[in-house]
């Protein structure tokens, strides 16, 4: 683990029709970290990931990744630089088989000429990714038949086999059973141990407590607190934010 | 200067017909994501409605026939639209490209019906006497027919504006257009709203059909000529946007009128097309409503 | 173990394809010329030209989801390139084509000049459509113009092209187009006996185009193309530029249409705006829809079959043919989107509920399925 900041966000602003979804956010993630990002609904977590990956255009601020400015770059270039992400609502290619989904993802750096050749067999990287997420058995099935949880894993496999330097996971365990969560958490830890920096957006506090080292709390588009799980849970402002919304069951879980 | 003004006038009158045809398209497109390729045939149906009524009432009642044709063509167009929606389009929900193709098949059939009923050659509709002649303002001669068309479209536009803004039904239309699921969840009966939208949009096409009889003869392929231009208006103006459609129609009409004057009609068409592609380079959002929430 | 079985099955599939391909090729190249009269053979040659266009549409629309409603433009660019060359070849060095003389054109327009040379005109028949498609596709796809917008735009393009052709009489021959051809490379086109030479060339062209398209579809590129059809935005976040992926398929389809147009001219003896406008362009898509948009061979077969039936019926029952054509088309699109390629499946699925067979889950069903899955208790 080095100390160089891999991702450095300064004064980021995203505005939708006058509404500040992200409002002057600063965030630094170091190489090799597993960073958890939490915050109440609508805090702007997904919007932050969208801004990093080029899906929404920030109104201001800068996002530097490994020294390179990401703001204004096209989406596929950002991926090419080594930023991978999953989506809160998993999106997979339903007309392709599970294997083809992963293979398409794994081939993204091939020169165009090689794309024009057929796939022969399964590359190690693809097989490994499928085994990691436990979808090897289903590899010939069309992705359209997968359940929600399986789609989430398929997305993870797709992004894993791309070997990104920074992996952004948007609520990867939402809708999963306890056992599935455990497995996803372990996978996340292992990915990080192999040198990928991971940012996980998650609501489930059991999951956060179990797998997080550092946690960043967002609220109304800005950074509210940052520290270890214990530190964050002690933080008065964090308590206020969550207790101020008593009906938010997830908030209750945070301060529990 | 005179030429500038007279082309302005011609451009505006072309624009108003385009707009009338485009209005129905932009609503059904914006609300149901439906591209109805048979829309042009509703224009044709409106035109033939005028022809039939004139034939039935005889030469002495041309003016009356024309005025009766306006509401009747609205009903004919609207009825055709509702039937099409009910029989075919509803079954194709969620498949916009297939809807486009299937309605094109319907357009082919309707054209053939017109050919079999009214003959393959064009027929003439007589303009009512009160539209004979022209008025000269600032050296520009403005024919009453074109003035009438501009006024007619103005009235239709105002009526739609009021309908969308004031009436509960219009509000429901806007609600469904903005967010179908949310509207449905709040108790709006979306199928009913869809049918209504289709009725109004197709009815307007029928009215446009009456208007085009003032500009030339009526034939089975009349609608095709207007459809593509109307679609381009929709593309440039943006989905279900009244104001966008007005601006796009005026821009396209004027552009055509001026370039056509300087060169010829065919160059004007090609240039208009090039212009649209260039326009898309700078304002693609005039077209695509970007929703950043997740992926589409 | 299962992997071994998979490899074997894949091997079987390849052999199966090879056998089928060779059977069809033999039927086309050996059987047809032997059993068909010269007249019918030249008719079939015309249909095979259409089949070449259909293969391209199958690639762009069937695989890539781009509804190309303006292929008449590319067919026309190919056809006019060839037609211009043939006109100039006939006119002889320094002479003007006949229609220019009639419409009082004094000297050969500069655009025509290079088409005197076969080495320029013939490649242009394919390269010009490809260049136009590449430029237009890049401009349009980059701005994320897709779906129905793209369909309308491509249709508008064909419409504008036709208007220009008709309007520029002296340059293009106007409504009549280019016609009255008598020879090509010294080959007498009026002699029926030469029909089989032209036919063989078209048949070879179709087979070649089919193999190219199939390679594109079967390759990794083909998978990415389908992925783009499924969800263009998702592909972007896998590091591909969807613009590039789409432009390749669109350009290939344009080149195929251009090739078909170029071969069409010597066979049929005319290229004119009436063959290229909105209606003919959309008809090209109809062939593919009826044959089966998702299967290249069926797309080509659809073109041949529809035109064969059309030739048989449209002269005897012109009005009835149009009703039939329109109805069949509507029904196929609405209830049997797989076209003839899916017949076996529809039969298996039970004739009672043909609507049950779909190309894929409908967007709305998909969305509800997803919601339901999302609500499943953790
Ligand atoms: N495209 C958009 N247009 C308008 N508002 C948007 C858009 N995308 C997000 N928002 C708003 O921005 C705010 C932040 O949304 P975001 O999805 O980033 O929250 P989140 O922290 O991911 O919440 P959740 O936990 O529910 O996923 C919300 O209020 C949302 O309504
Ligand atoms: Mg979110």
């Amino acid at each position: 683990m080095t100390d160089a900041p891999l991702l450095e966000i300064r004064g980021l602003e995203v505005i939708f029709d006058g509404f500040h979804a992200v409002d002057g956010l600063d965030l630094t993630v170091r190489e090799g970290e597993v960073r958890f990002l939490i915050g109440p609904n609508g805090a702007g977590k997904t919007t932050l990931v969208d801004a990093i990956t080029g899906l929404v255009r920030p109104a201001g601020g800068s996002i530097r990744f490994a020294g390179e400015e990401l703001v204004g770059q096209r989406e596929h270039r950002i991926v090419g630089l080594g930023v991978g992400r999953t989506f809160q609502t998993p999106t997979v290619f339903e007309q392709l088989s599970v294997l083809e989904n992963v293979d398409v993802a794994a081939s993204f750096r091939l020169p165009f000429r090689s794309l024009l050749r057929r796939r022969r067999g399964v590359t190690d990287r693809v097989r490994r990714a499928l085994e990691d997420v436990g979808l090897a058995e289903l590899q010939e099935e069309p992705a359209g038949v997968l359940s929600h949880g399986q789609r989430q894993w398929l997305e993870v496999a797709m992004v894993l086999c791309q070997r990104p330097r920074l992996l952004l996971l948007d609520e990867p365990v939402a809708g999963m059973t306890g056992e599935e969560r455990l497995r996803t958490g372990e996978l996340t830890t292992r990915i990080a141990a192999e040198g990928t920096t991971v940012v996980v957006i998650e609501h489930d506090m059991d999951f956060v407590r179990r797998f997080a080292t550092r946690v960043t709390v967002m609220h109304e588009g800005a950074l509210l607190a940052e520290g270890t799980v214990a530190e964050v849970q002690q933080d008065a402002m964090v308590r206020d934010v969550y207790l101020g919304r008593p009906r938010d069951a997830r908030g209750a879980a945070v301060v529990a | 200067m005179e030429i500038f003004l007279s082309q302005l006038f011609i451009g505006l009158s072309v624009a108003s017909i385009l707009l009338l045809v485009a209005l129905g398209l932009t609503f059904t497109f914006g609300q149901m994501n439906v591209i109805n390729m048979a829309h042009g045939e509703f224009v044709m149906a409106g035109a033939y409605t005028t022809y039939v009524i004139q034939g039935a009432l005889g030469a002495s009642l041309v003016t009356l026939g024309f005025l009766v044709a306006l509401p009747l063509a609205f009903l004919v167009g609207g009825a055709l639209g509702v039937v099409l929606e009910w029989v075919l389009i509803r079954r194709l929900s969620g498949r916009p490209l297939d809807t486009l193709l299937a309605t094109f098949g319907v357009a082919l059939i309707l054209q053939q019906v017109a050919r079999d009923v009214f003959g393959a050659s064009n027929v003439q509709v007589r303009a009512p006497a009160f539209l004979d002649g022209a008025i000269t303002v600032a050296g520009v001669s403005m024919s009453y027919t074109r003035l009438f068309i501009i006024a007619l479209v103005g009235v239709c536009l105002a009526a739609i504006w009021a309908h969308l803004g004031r009436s509960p039904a219009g509000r429901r239309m806007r609600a469904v257009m903005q967010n179908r699921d949310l509207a449905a969840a709040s108790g709006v009966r979306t199928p009913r709203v869809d049918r209504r939208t289709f009725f109004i949009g197709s009815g307007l096409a029928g009215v446009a059909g009456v208007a085009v009889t003032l500009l030339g003869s009526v034939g089975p392929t009349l609608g095709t000529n207007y459809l593509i231009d109307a679609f381009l208006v929709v593309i440039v103006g943006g989905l279900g946007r009244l104001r966008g459609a007005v601006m796009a129609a005026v821009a396209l009409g004027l552009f055509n009128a001026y370039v056509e004057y300087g060169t010829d009609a065919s160059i004007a068409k090609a240039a208009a097309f090039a212009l649209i592609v260039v326009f898309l380079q700078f304002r693609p959002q005039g077209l695509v409503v970007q929703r950043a929430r997740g992926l589409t | 173990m299962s992997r071994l079985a998979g490899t074997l099955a894949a091997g079987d599939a390849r052999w199966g394809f090879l056998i089928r391909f060779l059977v069809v090729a033999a039927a086309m190249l050996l059987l047809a010329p032997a059993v068909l009269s010269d007249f019918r053979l030249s008719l079939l040659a015309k249909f095979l030209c259409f089949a070449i266009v259909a293969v391209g549409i199958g690639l762009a629309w069937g695989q890539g989801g781009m509804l190309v409603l303006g292929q008449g433009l590319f067919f026309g660019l190919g056809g006019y390139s060839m037609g211009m060359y043939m006109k100039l070849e006939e006119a002889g060095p320094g002479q003007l084509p006949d229609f220019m003389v009639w419409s009082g054109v004094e000297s050969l327009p500069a655009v025509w000049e290079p088409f005197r040379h076969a080495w320029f005109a013939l490649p242009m028949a394919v390269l010009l459509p490809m260049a136009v498609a590449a430029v237009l596709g890049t401009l349009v796809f980059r701005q994320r113009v897709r779906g129905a917008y793209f369909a309308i735009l491509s249709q508008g393009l064909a419409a504008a092209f036709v208007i220009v052709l008709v309007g520029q009489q002296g340059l293009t021959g106007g409504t009549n187009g280019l016609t009255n051809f008598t020879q090509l490379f010294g080959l007498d086109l009026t002699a029926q006996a030469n029909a089989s030479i032209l036919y063989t060339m078209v048949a070879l062209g179709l087979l070649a185009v089919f193999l190219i398209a199939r390679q594109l579809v079967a390759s990794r590129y083909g998978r990415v193309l389908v992925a783009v059809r499924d969800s263009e935005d998702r592909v972007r976040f896998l590091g591909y530029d969807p613009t590039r992926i789409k432009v390749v398929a669109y350009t290939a389809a344009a080149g195929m249409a251009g090739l078909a147009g170029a071969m069409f001219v010597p066979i049929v003896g005319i290229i004119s705006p009436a063959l290229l406008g909105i209606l003919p362009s959309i008809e090209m898509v109809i062939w593919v829809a009826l044959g089966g948009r998702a299967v290249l061979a069926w797309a080509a077969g659809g073109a041949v079959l529809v035109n064969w039936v059309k030739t048989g019926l449209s002269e005897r029952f012109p009005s009835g043919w149009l009703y039939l054509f329109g109805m069949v088309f509507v029904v196929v699109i609405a209830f049997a989107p797989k076209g003839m390629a899916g017949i076996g499946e529809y039969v298996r699925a039970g004739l009672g509920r043909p609507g049950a067979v779909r190309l894929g889950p409908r967007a709305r069903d998909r969305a509800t399925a997803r919601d339901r899955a999302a609500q499943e208790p953790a």
Side-chain angles (χ1 to χ4, degrees):
Chain A
M1 198 188 281
T2 66
D3 272 1
L6 182 66
L7 182 71
E8 205 168 11
I9 298 176
R10 291 287 167 267
L12 188 71
E13 281 192 55
V14 180
I15 307 176
F16 296 116
D17 303 325
F19 171 74
H20 289 248
V22 175
D23 199 2
L25 180 92
D26 293 336
L27 179 71
T28 306
V29 179
R30 296 188 184 283
E31 182 117 47
E33 244 187 289
V34 183
R35 176 69 65 91
F36 275 67
L37 195 57
I38 64 172
N41 289 117
K45 306 180 293 295
T46 300
T47 309
L48 171 63
V49 171
D50 288 350
I52 296 171
T53 53
L55 182 58
V56 301
R57 196 162 287 265
S62 89
I63 303 171
R64 296 190 79 80
F65 171 74
E68 189 135 6
E69 180 62 53
L70 296 187
V71 173
Q73 300 235 37
R74 311 213 346 147
E75 296 95 321
H76 62 273
R77 295 232 178 278
I78 296 177
V79 178
L81 291 173
V83 180
R85 74 171 289 186
T86 62
F87 287 87
Q88 196 165 350
T89 321
T91 317
V92 296
F93 307 115
E94 306 192 343
Q95 318 254 321
L96 298 181
S97 74
V98 169
L99 173 61
E100 285 168 342
N101 265 278
V102 180
D103 188 72
V104 162
S107 314
F108 84 109
R109 283 193 198 280
L110 287 185
F112 194 83
R113 286 233 317 273
S114 326
L115 272 188
L116 294 178
R117 284 202 282 275
R118 282 163 204 251
R119 171 175 65 81
R120 305 231 181 274
V122 185
T123 60
D124 287 341
R125 192 187 273 215
V126 171
R127 183 173 311 129
R128 170 107 194 271
L130 280 169
E131 279 163 7
D132 277 346
V133 299
L135 287 175
E137 299 285 291
L138 295 172
Q139 65 176 33
E140 298 302 332
E141 298 290 323
V145 307
L146 296 186
S147 73
H148 182 79
Q150 287 170 329
R151 281 168 199 239
Q152 279 169 304
W153 267 333
L154 179 52
E155 269 212 332
V156 173
M158 285 160 77
V159 76
L160 270 189
C161 71
Q162 297 196 318
R163 308 257 161 97
R165 279 181 79 183
L166 174 66
L167 180 56
L168 307 165
L169 302 173
D170 197 350
E171 305 203 12
V173 301
M176 284 189 179
T177 64
E179 197 183 322
E180 289 169 333
R181 281 162 195 243
L182 204 64
R183 190 166 172 179
T184 309
E186 277 159 5
L187 182 59
T188 313
T189 316
R190 214 183 71 219
I191 297 165
E194 286 171 13
T196 304
T197 310
V198 188
V199 173
V200 189
I201 297 180
E202 199 40 73
H203 278 300
D204 180 62
M205 278 316 287
D206 288 336
F207 187 78
V208 173
R209 258 194 294 273
R210 177 146 190 175
F211 294 102
T213 46
R214 277 183 85 73
V215 177
T216 299
V217 187
M218 273 183 79
H219 177 55
E220 291 181 349
L223 195 114
L224 189 69
E226 202 171 279
T228 63
V229 183
E231 281 166 6
V232 163
Q233 280 182 319
Q234 296 306 315
D235 190 296
M237 285 207 293
V238 175
R239 285 174 164 263
D240 274 356
V241 164
Y242 279 103
L243 288 177
R245 313 160 118 244
R247 262 170 293 163
D248 192 330
R250 288 158 166 177
V254 173
V255 287
Chain B
M1 191 60 196
E2 266 168 41
I3 287 159
F4 174 79
L5 287 178
S6 70
Q7 292 305 112
L8 179 75
F9 176 64
I10 290 178
L12 280 182
S13 71
V14 171
S16 33
I17 294 210
L18 270 186
L19 180 60
L20 208 49
V21 180
L23 277 182
L25 289 176
T26 194
F27 285 138
T28 48
F29 197 8
Q31 183 174 323
M32 288 168 258
N33 206 8
V34 162
I35 301 271
N36 176 17
M37 294 298 274
H39 195 75
E41 276 52 52
F42 298 164
V43 177
M44 177 222 14
Y48 275 114
T49 305
T50 322
Y51 172 73
V52 168
I53 291 179
Q54 255 185 23
L57 290 181
S60 54
L61 293 172
V62 168
T63 302
L64 177 69
F66 188 80
L67 294 179
V68 171
L70 281 172
L72 212 61
F74 184 79
L75 292 180
V76 168
L80 282 173
V82 168
V83 170
L84 182 66
E85 201 268 336
W86 189 66
V87 173
L88 187 64
I89 290 176
R90 264 184 344 157
R91 289 163 215 277
L92 289 166
S93 76
R95 290 162 57 192
L97 292 186
D98 284 348
T99 312
L100 189 159
L101 286 172
T103 51
F104 185 82
V106 174
L108 280 183
I109 296 172
L110 288 178
Q111 282 177 21
Q112 191 54 33
V113 170
R115 225 169 268 133
D116 284 343
V117 175
F118 300 105
S121 49
N122 288 8
V123 299
Q124 287 293 338
V125 174
R126 286 180 47 195
F130 74 92
L131 291 180
D132 285 348
I135 175 176
T136 307
V137 177
V140 180
S141 153
M142 304 195 277
S143 70
Y144 284 131
T145 49
R146 285 184 185 270
L147 278 176
F148 176 79
I149 290 173
I150 295 177
L152 177 71
V153 175
V155 170
C156 290
L157 211 56
I160 291 186
W161 205 288
H163 181 73
L164 282 180
R166 299 278 155 78
S167 75
R171 265 200 297 280
R172 282 197 292 273
M173 253 173 85
R174 275 189 303 160
V176 176
M177 218 176 284
Q178 274 164 26
N179 190 332
R180 169 170 295 270
D181 294 336
L182 196 61
S186 349
V188 176
R189 275 189 252 173
T190 52
R192 197 181 275 197
V193 177
D194 286 350
R195 209 171 314 145
R196 198 186 167 87
T197 304
F198 233 93
F199 182 77
I200 295 176
S202 310
L204 288 176
V207 175
V210 182
V212 299
T213 62
L214 296 174
L215 297 180
S217 56
V218 177
T221 56
L222 171 90
T224 325
N225 304 330
Y226 288 95
L227 193 68
I228 295 291
D229 283 350
F231 268 127
L232 295 181
V233 166
V234 175
I235 288 186
V236 174
L239 290 166
R241 304 239 183 88
L242 203 52
R243 197 171 309 173
V246 174
M247 283 176 352
V250 170
L252 215 62
L254 291 184
F255 181 85
N256 251 318
Y258 285 117
V259 178
E260 200 172 316
Y261 184 80
T263 55
D264 65 68
S266 69
I267 298 289
K269 266 276 164 12
F273 194 84
L275 192 75
I276 288 172
V277 174
V278 171
F279 168 85
L280 293 180
Q281 301 307 305
F282 297 106
R283 275 211 61 197
Q285 68 274 29
L287 264 147
V288 188
V289 185
Q290 275 274 343
R291 291 210 182 86
R293 300 243 69 183
L295 295 172
T296 42
Chain C
M1 181 64 211
S2 76
R3 200 171 300 139
L4 182 66
T7 320
L8 282 178
D12 278 357
R14 302 200 94 187
W15 280 110
F17 167 73
L18 200 63
I19 291 168
R20 266 174 296 163
F21 180 79
L22 289 178
V23 166
V24 173
M28 264 166 52
L29 291 170
L30 305 174
L31 187 64
V35 298
L36 292 179
S37 68
D38 285 341
F39 172 72
R40 297 215 160 257
L41 199 61
S42 113
L43 212 55
L44 182 59
K46 177 169 119 180
F47 300 160
L48 294 188
C49 287
F50 293 153
I52 294 179
V53 183
V55 170
I57 295 178
L59 181 66
W61 177 43
Q63 302 295 317
M66 293 166 268
L67 182 49
V68 284
L69 289 184
Q71 291 303 87
L73 165 70
F74 304 124
F75 188 81
L77 286 174
Y80 274 88
S81 295
M82 188 68 166
M84 283 157 78
Y85 169 71
M86 288 168 73
K87 274 278 152 207
L88 290 172
E89 188 198 9
E90 276 167 27
Q95 300 298 308
L96 287 182
D98 48 10
F99 77 91
M100 285 192 189
V101 178
W102 300 332
S103 50
V105 176
E106 305 269 299
S107 63
L108 195 65
V111 198
W112 276 68
E113 199 51 56
F115 286 90
R116 266 192 201 288
H117 314 289
W119 60 261
F120 181 84
L122 299 190
M124 269 305 137
V126 177
L127 294 182
L128 197 61
M130 289 178 78
V132 172
V135 171
L136 188 87
T138 306
L139 288 177
V140 165
F141 296 138
R142 197 183 56 182
Q143 296 306 102
R144 306 189 188 177
V145 174
R146 54 191 165 206
Y149 291 106
F150 171 73
I152 297 296
L153 219 54
S154 68
Q155 185 171 44
L157 189 62
F161 178 59
V162 163
I163 289 171
V164 171
L165 284 179
V166 172
Q168 306 302 308
Q169 173 100 33
L171 201 60
T172 63
T175 323
N176 297 332
L178 306 179
T179 184
N180 297 327
F181 301 110
T182 50
Q183 55 160 0
L184 172 65
F185 304 133
L187 195 69
D188 184 3
L189 294 176
T190 50
Q192 288 281 344
N194 283 332
S196 71
I197 297 179
L198 290 172
Y199 169 83
T200 308
M201 284 184 57
V202 179
L204 288 173
L206 174 60
L207 293 172
V209 160
F210 176 76
L211 285 180
I212 292 172
R214 198 186 120 89
Q215 176 61 28
L216 282 177
V217 170
S219 68
R220 279 202 166 101
Y221 167 80
R223 303 295 87 200
V224 182
L225 187 62
V226 171
V228 168
R229 180 186 72 194
D230 244 14
S231 174
E232 182 176 330
D233 295 307
R234 187 67 184 92
V235 173
R236 203 168 269 130
F237 290 99
L238 291 180
Y240 294 95
D241 183 2
T243 305
R244 196 145 161 229
I245 303 290
K246 289 168 90 169
V247 164
V248 169
Y250 185 49
T251 306
M256 292 172 189
L259 177 71
M263 295 185 143
F264 178 90
V265 176
I267 291 168
V268 182
I270 184 169
I271 185 80
S272 75
L275 296 162
L276 315 173
I278 296 177
L279 201 66
S281 295
I282 212 163
E283 236 185 275
M284 296 170 182
V285 173
I286 297 180
W287 307 330
V288 176
L290 295 184
R293 63 182 86 163
V295 189
L296 290 175
W298 274 104
V304 174
L305 210 73
V306 172
N307 280 290
W308 201 277
V309 175
K310 178 180 177 176
T311 318
L313 290 182
S314 65
E315 275 154 36
R316 262 173 291 169
F317 319 102
S319 155
W321 155 250
L322 256 164
Y323 287 123
L324 182 74
F325 186 58
M327 289 297 266
V328 169
F329 178 50
V330 172
V331 169
V332 167
I333 288 289
F335 302 108
K338 285 188 179 177
M340 292 188 286
I343 284 177
E345 216 169 304
Y346 302 129
V347 171
R348 269 195 299 279
L351 287 168
R353 293 182 56 237
V357 183
R358 296 213 184 87
L359 264 187
R362 293 204 310 206
R364 203 177 271 180
D365 299 350
R366 223 184 286 165
T368 43
R370 198 182 285 156
D371 292 346
R372 227 177 287 132
Q375 281 154 14
E376 264 165 21

